[in-house]
Amino acid sequence: MSLPVCRCISVFFVEFQSHFEADYSATAWIHSLVDCTTMLCAPVGSLVGNRWSCRVAVMLGGLLSSCGLLLSSFATSLELLYFTMGILTGLGFALCYTPAISMVGCYFHQRKALAYGIAMSGSGIGTFVLAPAVQLLIELYSWRGALLVLSAFVANLCVCGALLRPITLREGVEEAELEEGEEKPGNISPQDAELAVSKESDTNSSPPSSSLLLSGSPAPTLQRGRCFSFCFLSSQEYRFLLLPDFVGLAVSFLFLASGCSLPFVYLVPYALNAGVNHQQAAFLMSILGVIDIVGNITFGWLTDRRCLKPHRLACYILAVGLEGLSCLFVPLLRSFALLVPFAVVYGYFDGAYVALIPVVTSDVVGAPYLASALGVVYFLHAIPYLVSPPIGGWLVDVTGSYTATFFLSGTAMLASAIVLSTILWIRRCQRRHLPTATVVNKDTKNEPLSACS
């Protein structure tokens, strides 16, 4: 629910610009602050979920984001909107976003990519429904009334958070077995438990596997707890930051975040500038949203197939690269009929790579670190999300067109794909020369990027 609302803020763009008589760059700060705060405070969402529970984090986030939109409906200046909609609402979304995503990994192991794809498809469904609904609300009740209704809608995050059910976690089973489907969480017989105990006792002298705490001490074979039991409440919680593979992934995310938000901010204003009416411009966001759902689910399903599962990182690179390439053609599209194919292509590959971000991150750092790693990953999106929309608006103000803005978006995403492609090629070259090291890494679940892909 939080991501669709962030995307639909672009529907308010022209209304804010007209009411407050502001330029593109100043108005774009509202959207960039929402995105930036959501990502900048993502580790806070992980922290609250780890220390208390995912349920508490989501309910608290729903309350804060609803209050932020409620106060925004009474705003008398852009500066006040920067705080209420940008910071307060963004903080609420941050508390909801990371715990909700990381919780999926607690439930699913065998078809993780498909599970994340279905879960992330909610953002596409929300965008598809909310974009025309928000435009209709603006026409009926003005932008203030629309924000008031949206505030009540976002308050339902509290209900969603209350429905998050803790599960029983059973540790001591090799994560590799879970990935292959040999053992399923929550369905371990007493005989299997005894086998796990004996297996653990035989391997205490060997390097710790994913079923052991990475601080070096073995985990209990059968330990009940909530979903945040996978996250270590110690200084070892962010040990994955030292992995070279994660550093390379982080650099690519910085480029990706610099470009991926611009089309969501400027697609509607660009369509209006090209002569498309308001309803059709909002409908472009709906098309993008519904195709986003298709990308989430189909790419998740495809990358869970036996033939593509070893190449999930390559599929992620392909999705990011094609999404960036599509942005380079936007300045040539000057009608609704031509913008529809762009919305379809961009929406599909956006859904594809978004569904794979948690999967690729989990492959690199391992399941025990996923919640903390996702907090860092989304934190890395913060500064690019903050500065890229105003930069895009400044380019519009200076050049008088949207060409440079969409070129910036496409170039940044292509750079992200190139960075990961280069790292993937280097790792594969290393594997050819150091096969023994690769096997050792697999045994300790600290796989190189190429092996995880």
Side-chain angles (χ1 to χ4, degrees):
M1 188 181 294
S2 58
L3 189 57
V5 174
C6 288
R7 291 178 174 179
C8 290
I9 288 177
S10 61
V11 180
F12 291 96
F13 191 98
V14 176
E15 301 296 328
F16 290 153
Q17 188 180 28
S18 174
H19 182 84
F20 295 107
E21 298 180 350
D23 57 23
Y24 280 93
S25 181
T27 309
W29 277 103
I30 299 173
H31 195 289
S32 63
L33 279 170
V34 174
D35 286 342
C36 174
T37 307
T38 300
M39 299 307 173
L40 190 67
C41 298
V44 179
S46 299
L47 183 66
V48 174
N50 290 343
R51 266 50 177 187
W52 288 280
S53 71
C54 296
R55 179 179 293 174
V56 170
V58 174
M59 292 181 69
L60 180 60
L63 182 62
L64 285 176
S65 55
S66 178
C67 290
L69 291 172
L70 176 63
L71 294 174
S72 297
S73 66
F74 299 100
T76 56
S77 66
L78 275 180
E79 289 73 16
L80 188 56
L81 278 176
Y82 293 161
F83 173 74
T84 57
M85 181 176 282
I87 297 177
L88 190 59
T89 302
L91 177 60
F93 288 161
L95 292 175
C96 299
Y97 195 53
T98 308
I101 294 176
S102 62
M103 196 169 188
V104 177
C106 296
Y107 281 92
F108 298 94
H109 296 276
Q110 188 176 358
R111 293 181 175 86
K112 189 181 293 185
L114 178 59
Y116 275 116
I118 295 174
M120 301 296 286
S121 67
S123 63
I125 297 172
T127 305
F128 173 70
V129 174
L130 278 181
V134 168
Q135 183 61 47
L136 181 61
L137 289 172
I138 291 174
E139 293 175 1
L140 292 176
Y141 306 112
S142 79
W143 64 267
R144 294 185 185 275
L147 284 176
L148 198 60
V149 175
L150 203 58
S151 169
F153 176 73
V154 170
N156 285 282
L157 281 169
C158 297
V159 180
C160 297
L163 295 175
L164 293 179
R165 184 174 65 87
I167 61 173
T168 299
L169 297 179
R170 298 177 182 271
E171 299 177 275
V173 179
E174 292 290 335
E175 183 183 334
E177 295 175 351
L178 293 174
E179 289 288 344
E180 296 298 327
E182 296 177 13
E183 298 288 355
K184 297 179 182 179
N187 190 29
I188 301 176
S189 64
Q191 293 82 1
D192 295 333
E194 293 176 4
L195 180 61
V197 172
S198 61
K199 184 177 181 180
E200 180 182 333
S201 62
D202 292 338
T203 57
N204 276 343
S205 59
S206 61
S209 67
S210 62
S211 60
L212 306 181
L213 297 180
L214 295 187
S215 58
S217 60
T221 303
L222 295 176
Q223 179 180 353
R224 296 180 177 272
R226 301 177 184 270
C227 76
F228 59 83
S229 298
F230 272 134
C231 304
F232 307 121
L233 310 182
S234 67
S235 60
Q236 298 295 320
E237 193 171 344
Y238 292 93
R239 184 179 175 183
F240 61 87
L241 292 172
L242 301 177
L243 294 174
D245 295 339
F246 183 80
V247 174
L249 195 65
V251 173
S252 73
F253 282 142
L254 289 174
F255 282 108
L256 174 66
S258 299
C260 67
S261 65
L262 290 174
F264 289 103
V265 178
Y266 292 105
L267 179 59
V268 172
Y270 172 77
L272 294 174
N273 181 263
V276 178
N277 64 50
H278 284 75
Q279 283 294 343
Q280 287 180 329
F283 189 61
L284 286 173
M285 292 297 294
S286 295
I287 295 173
L288 194 151
V290 73
I291 300 300
D292 192 284
I293 303 169
V294 178
N296 285 144
I297 298 175
T298 58
F299 233 67
W301 180 82
L302 286 172
T303 52
D304 270 333
R305 299 304 90 196
R306 187 178 299 272
C307 58
L308 288 180
K309 195 170 185 178
H311 308 288
R312 287 193 290 212
L313 182 61
C315 294
Y316 171 84
I317 294 171
L318 178 66
V320 174
L322 290 177
E323 187 180 26
L325 191 63
S326 67
C327 290
L328 300 181
F329 292 95
V330 172
L332 303 177
L333 313 177
R334 301 291 299 176
S335 67
F336 177 74
L338 293 176
L339 285 170
V340 167
F342 166 75
V344 170
V345 173
Y346 188 89
Y348 182 81
F349 289 112
D350 182 77
Y353 91 77
V354 166
L356 288 181
I357 283 179
V359 180
V360 171
T361 304
S362 178
D363 287 344
V364 171
V365 304
Y369 287 128
L370 180 58
S372 300
L374 283 177
V376 174
V377 165
Y378 294 127
F379 173 83
L380 292 171
H381 286 62
I383 300 303
Y385 274 6
L386 176 66
V387 300
S388 59
I391 290 176
W394 175 77
L395 289 173
V396 174
D397 291 332
V398 171
T399 63
S401 72
Y402 292 84
T403 300
T405 299
F406 281 98
F407 276 179
L408 173 63
S409 175
T411 303
M413 285 188 281
L414 287 173
S416 174
I418 291 171
V419 168
L420 274 184
S421 299
T422 304
I423 295 173
L424 184 60
W425 177 76
I426 292 173
R427 289 304 183 188
R428 283 181 174 170
C429 291
Q430 290 178 345
R431 285 183 66 194
R432 294 192 189 101
H433 298 291
L434 299 171
T436 304
T438 304
V439 172
V440 172
N441 281 335
K442 284 186 177 181
D443 290 339
T444 58
K445 301 305 292 180
N446 290 325
E447 304 175 0
L449 197 58
S450 55
C452 296
S453 63

